[in-house]
Amino acid sequence: MSGLTSMTGAARAEILARTRAALTRAQPPGPVVRDYRTTGDLQLGSPELVALLTDRLVDYRAHVHPVGTEQISAAIAGIAAAHAGGAARFVVASDFATAWRQGWGAVEDHGLSPRELDETDGAVTTCRVAIADTGTLVLDAGPGQGRRAITLVPDLHICLVRHDQIVQTVPEALRRLDAGRPITFISGPSATSDIELARVEGVHGPRILHVLLISPP
Amino acid sequence: MTTFLGLPGGLPHADRHTGQVEGSLRFPDAARTALADGQLRTNIGAATRTIRTKRAAVVAEVPDWEELREAGRAIKTDTMARLPELLLQLEENVTARGGVVHWARDATQANAIVAGLVRAVGATEVVKVKSMVTQEIGLNEALAERGITAWETDLAELIVQLGHDKPSHILVPAIHRNRAQIREIFLREMPGVDSGLTDEPRDLAMAARRYLRAKFLTAQVAVSGANFAVADTGTLTVVESEGNGRMCLTLPQTLITVMGIEKVVPTFSDLEVFLQLLPRSSTGERMNPYTSMWTGVTPGDGPQDVHLVLLDNGRTATLADQVGRAALHCIRCSACLNVCPVYERTGGHAYGSVYPGPIGAVLSPQLTGITGGDDPNDSLPYASSLCGACFDACPVKIDIPNLLVNLRAQHTEAHADTHRIPSAEQIAMAATAWAMSSPSRWARAQATTRAGRLLGRRRQVIRALPAPLSAWTAARDLPRPPTETFRQWWAARDAGEHR
Ligand code: SF4
């Protein structure tokens, strides 16, 4: 490895020198003008914003369930019953609220191997923020979300979104994020159009995506 | 140290024989083969039409699209001007978060670094996320020579790999294959595949899912590219659709990311521009299914051994050209391919390089350098009708026609330097270039081709010219001369801005 490091150390100096040489006569660029929208027109928490997100999610063929806080457990149990005859085992992060685990089989993740994750029926998580314009759920491994692998290996993902987590535009979402965390943008189930441009859903990620849109109490 | 600026052969170019930055045939010859393939033309035509329509619809619903494009252009221009400082900042931030940064002058060195890292963890296999740069450097072949197998995990790349074939489109690399051909490839090349496999796309995709899942669950090492690398945070980003990217970026213990030095962006908030521009321009979606961002190592989540290989391979030479460097702004969306009348007819293989279409025609020759000889990449700047559709479609406003004209002028100059007795085709080429290389000559050429120009105004191409230009139009249509912009450009060039 030390040979490798010194080899790339020389390359580093050389590439930086080349880059500087290439720019010796460059004109300083003009300022970066940011005239694009950084907020949407829709009010945070408004029914219109929730409707826009719903529309986009349905467009991606995600299953959308509008629920109140007290209905969360029942909604998940309903999906579990429909999915695996009630015997479904869904992975959750260890800090996923116990109040929402009633009536269905939650498996806490304490470092499950990829194979063990593969044997579960799905994952249930919260999210960091959702983008209505694009129908995007953003996870950042924060509270209730767990590590990235749990929403990837199992075949089904149930994502909980509170109305106050919905923003309209991409810039609003980015501005709520901490770049240092592992971040995943999810916009519908995984998909491919690689064969004659025919859309096929669920190639490697979860094939089924349920979104619980949770209204304030 | 400054005398070489703008001159071919100054800063080192990519080795045209390592990896895939140049094909073996000149464009007109390769295009002839492609044009004779009816299936290819039908598939590419259908693909580009479909994606064009989808793109137009999702771009139309963004009220501030032009403002986003302008911001994208400005951020990239600013990035190139500050590249050394941004690369150092990126390195510092990746390192601070537990990642290891490597620098590679060229393809050979990048391949050696990756192979060394794979060996260091004792692996003999790697899983790969679709990445153009690793195709550019021929990583899979280089690893194979060292006994390491690289598995492509993107469905289209898998089809290409199993078919012992080459990608034909940036975005849908297997678009030249139809479902029956793909079924045949899978039956022949995919170990353990169900012999009852149908040619339904869903069935084929599920066969790939089963086949690759076993690899994802056991892979020790993944190799990826990066769409963006954020200097001020050290964050790397991969934009994808199928989830194979997430599998590679999340499950293995070791992650090696190879990226061209031009992929850096200054700040995390710059992503708010590119994450709007890229998916809509690329797949015609409001957002692609999955985007992953990671910063060095996150304890307990994902790979714990994280590497970033920063590659030059002709990029600094490209950067030295004040016009040509705009090719480095490309975010690889493929919108310019889908609107290009030349690409639509020839497909990607005719361009030889891993970078096809209009962007390939300006990027590949700059990476390898224009020699003025018979090198295939020297023919690429002529593989265009200069109709300008690529410029209009480009989400970061790269003026590709202007870059093509710049390269044609370079080719003529280099040609004059190296050839004393040109071939017949070169006479035609040179005559055209000669005519185009001076405003007064160009004006005269235009005056003698008024009919062609009037025709060209309607159809954007000229189908006949008087000799000596006629020799060239026999091979392909001549673009309607972009007199205004050309002259303006030339005036600026003569005023010393260029060299
Ligand atoms: S040149 Fe522009 S349109 Fe073409 S692939 Fe690059 S970013 Fe997209």
Side-chain angles (χ1 to χ4, degrees), chain B residues 170 330-337 359 390 393-396 398 400:
Chain B
I170 294 184
C330 174
I331 59 173
R332 310 276 189 266
C333 72
S334 76
C336 59
L337 279 63
I359 183 61
C390 47
C394 180
V396 291
I398 302 174
I400 295 177

Side-chain angles (χ1 to χ4, degrees), chain A residues 32-142:
Chain A
V32 176
V33 177
R34 295 175 191 269
D35 281 345
Y36 55 83
R37 295 181 308 159
T38 51
T39 53
D41 318 323
L42 301 176
Q43 200 69 43
L44 209 69
S46 67
E48 293 79 15
L49 194 57
V50 178
L52 181 62
L53 177 64
T54 305
D55 175 74
R56 298 305 196 231
L57 289 168
V58 169
D59 194 51
Y60 285 128
R61 284 171 250 196
H63 307 272
V64 180
H65 311 262
V67 294
T69 314
E70 67 294 340
Q71 297 162 317
I72 293 173
S73 279
I76 300 170
I79 297 166
H83 187 65
R89 293 164 61 249
F90 290 154
V91 189
V92 293
S94 54
D95 61 355
F96 186 83
T98 41
W100 299 338
R101 300 188 195 182
Q102 313 305 314
W104 52 279
V107 182
E108 268 191 21
D109 172 43
H110 295 282
L112 294 168
S113 72
R115 283 207 181 284
E116 288 167 326
L117 283 173
D118 197 33
E119 282 155 17
T120 66
D121 297 295
V124 188
T125 71
T126 60
C127 71
R128 177 70 185 86
V129 60
I131 309 169
D133 264 352
T134 57
T136 303
L137 310 168
V138 184
L139 274 65
D140 70 351

Side-chain angles (χ1 to χ4, degrees), chain A residues 146-168:
Chain A
R147 63 198 170 106
R148 285 172 286 172
I150 73 169
T151 55
L152 173 62
V153 181
D155 205 12
L156 177 148
H157 179 199
I158 301 171
C159 189
L160 279 55
V161 183
R162 293 193 319 266
H163 285 193
D164 66 354
Q165 291 180 303
I166 306 170
V167 297
Q168 188 179 341

Side-chain angles (χ1 to χ4, degrees), chain B residues 97-228:
Chain B
R97 288 291 305 267
V100 184
V101 178
H102 311 259
W103 300 69
R105 292 181 190 90
D106 52 29
T108 306
Q109 196 172 25
N111 290 334
I113 292 167
V114 176
L117 293 169
V118 177
R119 282 226 189 93
V121 300
T124 55
E125 285 190 356
V126 302
V127 286
K128 277 188 68 199
V129 199
K130 174 179 163 187
S131 121
M132 304 203 64
V133 74
T134 58
Q135 284 170 37
E136 172 191 323
I137 62 176
L139 179 66
N140 293 8
E141 296 74 14
L143 290 178
E145 280 168 20
R146 294 165 169 90
I148 300 162
T149 310
W151 299 104
E152 292 293 349
T153 63
D154 181 80
L155 179 55
E157 295 292 339
L158 179 71
I159 294 166
V160 168
Q161 186 180 38
L162 292 178
H164 309 290
D165 198 1
K166 288 190 170 161
S168 57
H169 189 284
I170 294 184
L171 182 67
V172 275
I175 198 62
H176 57 293
R177 297 286 196 185
N178 62 29
R179 61 180 74 190
Q181 293 171 316
I182 295 167
R183 172 175 174 272
E184 255 168 57
I185 293 169
F186 281 12
L187 285 176
R188 194 173 64 232
E189 303 280 345
M190 196 181 265
V193 72
D194 179 2
S195 58
L197 184 69
T198 74
D199 64 4
E200 273 305 304
R202 168 146 213 101
D203 238 34
L204 295 167
M206 290 308 108
R209 176 186 169 102
R210 275 189 299 277
Y211 175 71
L212 288 172
R213 183 152 281 236
K215 301 210 181 297
F216 288 135
L217 298 184
T218 56
Q220 285 174 271
V221 182
V223 176
S224 83
N227 291 94
F228 308 101

